Amino acid sequence: MEQLLAVSVIGFGVWMSTHHDSCRKSLTLPVIGLGAIILVISIIGFLGALKNNSILLWIYLILLCLILVGILVFTVFAFIVTNSGSGHQVSGLRYKEYQLQDCSSWFLKQLNNTHNWERLKSCLVKSDDCNNLAREYKTLKQYKSARLTPIEAGCCRPPSECGYPAVNASYYDLSFRPISSNKDCELYKNSRGVKCYNCDSCKAGVAQYMKIEWRAVAIFNVFLFVVLSIIYLVGCCARRNAAKSPEKV
């Protein structure tokens, strides 16, 4: 059963890698790595039970206990850091806009780190998030009624409060003086390599995607923790039985 669970965890990590591009799949490799570790631990437990070896079973239980503690700590942490910043609805738009100050302090620290953001920004510039908007929405009417993703809303366009008129899905009339003091209004440019990638609204959009990914992993971890806890209790029983009977060599 534990081997099947390990394969399920690895499969979940692979599924995440196919549903997120390289800019946002921050937890894909850790999830796959967790599945591989669980698989190795399960093999140790299987050998311990097969040989009725209490030493192997002790190693198995200690490692499994550490995994359970790690899963519990990460899950609690993930729910805490993803609990803030639900976005703001703007009149006339079918999507929400996100603000960086609404994010948790941990996400703020990660996204305001120059090295982290330069790496993410470089990836976003190369991605199709903004480049495909003009092809996907041929008319201004289609664009205004679109359900943009958090990254499209935060990185590909200036915040609505700036008041820049949209000419099409990839171009805004910047000759108008912004009606807001938000620094993102000055940072936005129509250039494909600039857009709003230096804006706080873009960081907030990336944070929203990260929150969705982290929350999905946290929910999956709740299931994983329950199943592994049951397996751990069964392993404790197997160790006690091994301790009562002669050890096989």
Side-chain angles (χ1 to χ4, degrees), residues 124-143:
L124 289 169
V125 171
K126 296 175 183 177
S127 72
D128 292 328
D129 289 290
C130 297
N131 299 335
N132 283 340
L133 288 180
R135 291 191 292 269
E136 187 172 353
Y137 306 110
K138 302 294 186 182
T139 66
L140 188 58
K141 182 178 179 180
Q142 289 177 336
Y143 178 56

Side-chain angles (χ1 to χ4, degrees), residues 184-222:
D184 288 356
C185 300
E186 299 292 339
L187 291 173
Y188 174 83
K189 303 297 178 186
N190 286 313
S191 169
R192 289 182 59 175
V194 179
K195 291 296 182 181
C196 218
Y197 295 125
N198 294 313
C199 301
D200 284 349
S201 63
C202 185
K203 293 180 180 179
V206 173
Q208 180 63 19
Y209 260 106
M210 293 173 67
K211 284 167 54 181
I212 293 171
E213 182 186 46
W214 279 56
R215 182 58 66 96
V217 173
I219 293 173
F220 180 78
N221 277 353
V222 172

Side-chain angles (χ1 to χ4, degrees), residues 76-103:
V76 172
F77 176 74
F79 276 117
I80 291 174
V81 300
T82 60
N83 195 42
S84 58
S86 58
H88 302 269
Q89 196 70 52
V90 180
S91 177
L93 299 180
R94 301 181 67 185
Y95 53 87
K96 291 182 178 180
E97 292 186 337
Y98 299 88
Q99 297 179 359
L100 192 58
Q101 59 266 29
D102 293 337
C103 300

Side-chain angles (χ1 to χ4, degrees), residues 132-168:
N132 283 340
L133 288 180
R135 291 191 292 269
E136 187 172 353
Y137 306 110
K138 302 294 186 182
T139 66
L140 188 58
K141 182 178 179 180
Q142 289 177 336
Y143 178 56
K144 288 184 175 181
S145 62
R147 293 185 181 274
L148 300 184
T149 67
I151 286 185
E152 290 172 343
C155 302
C156 307
R157 51 182 292 281
S160 298
E161 62 182 282
C162 298
Y164 294 133
V167 178
N168 55 45

